Amino acid sequence: MISADRIEGMRTMEKIRLILDGVHDGNIVILERGLDPDEESKLIEVTMSEINPDGFTGIEIETYPGEKKNDSGLLGRLIGNDDSSKLTVIGPANRLETLHKDETLISTLVTRT
């Protein structure tokens, strides 16, 4: 579990390295506060470049939405009021399988290596 306070002052690549280093070690990383869309895109881009058929198989990522702010619609996002308080679960693609996801629950199957 990585707290929001721990990653608050980090640059995008520092966050991505912290996440991917944990996943490379076979861990499931849980972010108290999810990444913003640009950071998530960069995470996927870096992950794709590190995939190796004989080793790292990629990541599985699921986000659980947090509490909504009053102004979280399109207009709110455009003026910078997007709420990023969401729980994000990231793990090795070969160990983590999402079974069910809805507004209140993420069910995941985690396999041993």
Side-chain angles (χ1 to χ4, degrees), residues 56-110:
F56 184 59
T57 58
I59 62 171
E60 181 77 24
I61 183 169
E62 284 294 340
T63 300
Y64 178 81
E67 294 181 21
K68 301 283 186 193
K69 287 184 179 176
N70 291 337
D71 204 10
S72 63
L74 177 60
L75 180 59
R77 287 192 302 268
L78 288 174
I79 62 172
N81 289 340
D82 187 23
D83 186 7
S84 61
S85 64
K86 56 190 176 194
L87 183 75
T88 301
V89 179
I90 306 165
N94 62 344
R95 292 195 54 213
L96 193 66
E97 179 183 345
T98 301
L99 302 176
H100 174 78
K101 179 183 173 187
D102 63 29
E103 292 180 13
T104 61
L105 177 72
I106 296 175
S107 298
T108 302
L109 175 65
V110 180

Side-chain angles (χ1 to χ4, degrees), residues 36-49:
D36 68 35
D38 290 336
E39 292 171 332
E40 202 165 301
S41 294
K42 189 68 177 173
L43 173 63
I44 293 167
E45 179 184 323
V46 172
T47 299
M48 295 302 288
S49 71

